[in-house]
Amino acid sequence: MRKSSLAGVSIAAVILAAISITRSGAEQVLRGAEAFGDWQRDKPGTVRLITPQDLPRPGAMASSSNSSRVVQRPASAVPQVPAGFKIELFASGLSGPRIIRTAPNGDMFVAETGPGRIRILRSADGAAKSATNDVYATGLNRPFGLAFFPSGDNPQWLYVANTDSVVRFAYRNGDLKASGKPEAVARLPHGGNHFTRDIVFTPDDKRMLVSVGSAGNAGEGLGQPPQGVEAWSRDHALGAPWGIETDRAAVLAFDPDGKNQKLFATGIRNCVGLAIQPGSGTPWCSTNERDGRGDNLVPDYVTRVREGAFYGWPWYYIGANEDPAHAGARPDLKDRVTVPDVLLQAHSASLGLTFYTGSSFPPEYRGDAFAAEHGSWNRSKRTGYKVIRIRLKDGVPTGEYEDFVTGFVIGDNEVWGRPVGVTVARDGALLVSEDGNGTIWRVSRE
């Protein structure tokens, strides 16, 4: 009887049974092709695991142009969060809020990139709404990354990563207005695509790390750098000419005063979000991979960033997978590519990144990471437009990620929200910025 019943089970049914496993009796883990999905499969608590072995071959699907139309948020539209949490509108009426950072005193600093300004939101611990809303500084050039320096409870500076430079303002806890003009710290490569720059400091306060995305999509029209990763990195760091991609698609390292620029890691197409993992002190990147390779290529990713590591762009992706546009160009690099830790649905546009350091969420959340997915344009079936939780075990990524905040998509063509920044408030709530309708949302336990 058992043999005949198994014979009647379709291969598809067996596969579906294999991809849906349960840890607690309710949690679904999507694997392989099922994990690629689209916005209609998004739901708080859904977990995905994508591995390099799951990637389709290049050319398996045509590339699509499918930009979303951002509409006014319907009055009834509220983002969705897992059971046991609640989400509330913390602030509205902002102009394209992007990265959001929590100051040591609890103030929320928000980069409004388009208008070129930094805004401060202040509220009491546990408050569902911002009580004050002040403009800290104006006249900046597409500001994005924000960092307080030195570490600890009494920083002396607020660093701002403009698209073309790093500047800093003298800062004291509680400042609502910049006390003077910004001081220029470092010049950054700029122009072309990928204008965002994020910034963090190593835990010992000795190094400033800045992410700089590529100027193009996949190295179009590049000259050939010197043979070998070591020579390329050495000469690249010294400013050897390599067209518009010199010192780009990389994480750069500086002294806190902007001196001694070096390459920290290379081959990262667009590390939009930078974060330092508490405890280990390891830098992490939330990364946008290349477009034009089909719906499910190339996966975006969130990963630890090792000094001296090369992540493949533009010749390879997700390990030794060669980009067809550069076939045969750099065989010497094939075995040098570092595979990212957590692969995401392709074209999700993974942006801001933070680690959960609060104590108000359940204990299993502590130390995990959250990333904001701005949403796809280069996919026939829309994906992204959510906040995901990156799962770690003993500080090490498992490769799994979980839909945590969803509900920003109205239909196949319309969205009302595009998440950008994530930060942990002093009271342990998670704050999420979205630049579609200019709002910030607060996630807390019920």
Side-chain angles (χ1 to χ4, degrees), residues 9 11-22 29:
V9 176
I11 293 176
V14 172
I15 293 174
L16 286 173
I19 62 173
S20 299
I21 63 175
T22 301
V29 179

Side-chain angles (χ1 to χ4, degrees), residues 27-100:
E27 180 180 272
Q28 183 183 41
V29 179
L30 302 179
R31 301 175 183 270
E34 284 290 313
F36 297 145
D38 61 62
W39 72 272
Q40 291 178 315
R41 297 290 301 273
D42 290 349
K43 180 181 178 182
T46 297
V47 179
R48 289 176 172 82
L49 176 62
I50 300 173
T51 71
Q53 292 73 34
D54 300 325
L55 303 187
R57 59 176 176 78
M61 297 187 72
S63 179
S64 299
S65 181
N66 182 25
S67 295
S68 60
R69 186 167 75 93
V70 178
V71 300
Q72 184 175 353
R73 180 175 72 91
S76 60
V78 176
Q80 304 301 303
V81 292
F85 292 89
K86 63 181 178 180
I87 188 164
E88 300 163 290
L89 182 61
F90 183 76
S92 61
L94 304 180
S95 180
R98 304 283 279 173
I99 286 297
I100 179 169

Side-chain angles (χ1 to χ4, degrees), residues 98-100 144 272-273 286-288 300-302 344 348-354 369-375 384-390 405 408 418-423 430-435:
R98 304 283 279 173
I99 286 297
I100 179 169
F144 191 77
V272 182
S286 171
T287 304
N288 291 190
D300 287 349
Y301 59 82
V302 174
L344 312 179
S348 291
S350 194
L351 302 189
L353 180 68
T354 195
F370 288 94
E373 311 302 291
H374 199 227
Y385 305 94
K386 58 187 175 183
V387 175
I388 60 173
R389 170 192 174 196
I390 306 295
V405 184
F408 296 97
R418 307 196 69 185
V420 180
V422 282
T423 191
L430 186 75
L431 295 185
V432 177
S433 66
E434 64 81 21
D435 62 1

